[in-house]
Amino acid sequence: MSERDGIYDITWDWPVFLSQLFGFAVIVGVLMKWVAPPIKSAMRRSQDTISAQLEESSQASARLAAAERAFAEAVAAAATEVAQIQREARDDAERIVAELRETAAAEVERVRIHGMDRVARVQRQLRAELGHDLTVALLDRAESVVRERFDSVAARSASIDRFLDELASAGERGS
């Protein structure tokens, strides 16, 4: 091989070319028959798995969005219910306070009336006791005054004279 024959001098050796072509075809055939189908099925399974995962992911996204909407609705409903409960509690508290005020006013009035009745009874009882005590004191005083007057002889004689004069004047009027 001269420089002229160099690396650029390509000659076709047909038997080697054909044998290499045949070997290449056998390798391609073996790859297509036994290697490609498992690779294709593995790729198909991977694609199916990926598409199933994508589908599940989109369904999960849809469920998540639905759950977020449901949560937002539940929060709004809970806020509304809390506001309603607060209003009802405030109304109940106001009603209870009004009822307690009415009850307290009625109790105050009942106690006042009972106190007034008690005061009136005590006044009547005191008046009766004082009247009785006054009567007893007056009678005792009158008795002592009368005893003092009747103890003296002059008072007895004047009393008897007065009694006789009254009898005489009563007799004259009656006749």
Side-chain angles (χ1 to χ4, degrees), residues 108-156:
V108 164
E109 184 63 23
R110 185 190 68 79
V111 168
R112 188 184 68 74
I113 290 171
H114 179 70
M116 297 292 279
D117 289 345
R118 177 80 175 134
V119 166
R121 276 197 309 270
V122 168
Q123 283 178 343
R124 283 192 302 272
Q125 185 179 2
L126 285 174
R127 280 187 187 133
E129 288 176 9
L130 289 175
H132 175 46
D133 290 348
L134 182 61
T135 303
V136 168
L138 284 175
L139 288 176
D140 287 343
R141 179 69 181 142
E143 180 183 356
S144 70
V145 167
V146 169
R147 283 190 193 275
E148 285 177 12
R149 288 205 178 163
F150 282 122
D151 282 342
S152 69
V153 176
R156 269 190 238 153

Side-chain angles (χ1 to χ4, degrees), residues 79-94:
T80 303
E81 190 170 339
V82 163
Q84 179 65 27
I85 289 171
Q86 286 176 338
R87 277 192 304 274
E88 289 174 359
R90 189 174 29 259
D91 293 345
D92 287 345
E94 290 172 358

Side-chain angles (χ1 to χ4, degrees), residues 1 3 5 26 30 42-43 46 58 61 73 78 87-88 92 95 109 113 119 123 139 148 152 160 173:
M1 286 189 66
E3 198 173 302
D5 290 335
V26 168
V30 167
M43 286 179 65
S46 294
S58 66
S61 295
E73 291 171 2
R87 277 192 304 274
E88 289 174 359
D92 287 345
R95 182 182 47 79
E109 184 63 23
I113 290 171
V119 166
Q123 283 178 343
L139 288 176
E148 285 177 12
S152 69
I160 292 172
R173 279 188 257 160

Side-chain angles (χ1 to χ4, degrees), residues 7-139:
I7 57 171
Y8 297 113
D9 186 23
I10 298 178
T11 58
W12 290 91
D13 189 8
W14 288 106
V16 172
F17 176 75
L18 288 178
S19 69
Q20 285 181 348
L21 186 62
F22 177 73
F24 180 74
V26 168
I27 291 173
V28 169
V30 167
L31 286 175
M32 293 303 282
K33 175 132 177 124
W34 286 294
V35 175
I39 290 174
K40 282 183 181 179
S41 66
M43 286 179 65
R44 197 174 313 113
R45 281 194 308 268
S46 294
Q47 286 176 343
D48 291 345
T49 302
I50 290 170
S51 58
Q53 288 175 346
L54 286 173
E55 180 64 29
E56 287 176 6
S57 175
S58 66
Q59 290 174 356
S61 295
R63 285 193 305 266
L64 177 63
E68 287 175 346
R69 283 191 305 276
F71 178 73
E73 291 171 2
V75 166
T80 303
E81 190 170 339
V82 163
Q84 179 65 27
I85 289 171
Q86 286 176 338
R87 277 192 304 274
E88 289 174 359
R90 189 174 29 259
D91 293 345
D92 287 345
E94 290 172 358
R95 182 182 47 79
I96 289 169
V97 166
E99 288 174 359
L100 287 175
R101 283 185 179 147
E102 290 174 7
T103 303
E107 185 65 19
V108 164
E109 184 63 23
R110 185 190 68 79
V111 168
R112 188 184 68 74
I113 290 171
H114 179 70
M116 297 292 279
D117 289 345
R118 177 80 175 134
V119 166
R121 276 197 309 270
V122 168
Q123 283 178 343
R124 283 192 302 272
Q125 185 179 2
L126 285 174
R127 280 187 187 133
E129 288 176 9
L130 289 175
H132 175 46
D133 290 348
L134 182 61
T135 303
V136 168
L138 284 175
L139 288 176

Side-chain angles (χ1 to χ4, degrees), residues 150-171:
F150 282 122
D151 282 342
S152 69
V153 176
R156 269 190 238 153
S157 144
S159 170
I160 292 172
D161 288 339
R162 210 178 4 218
F163 178 71
L164 290 175
D165 288 338
E166 284 178 10
L167 277 177
S169 54

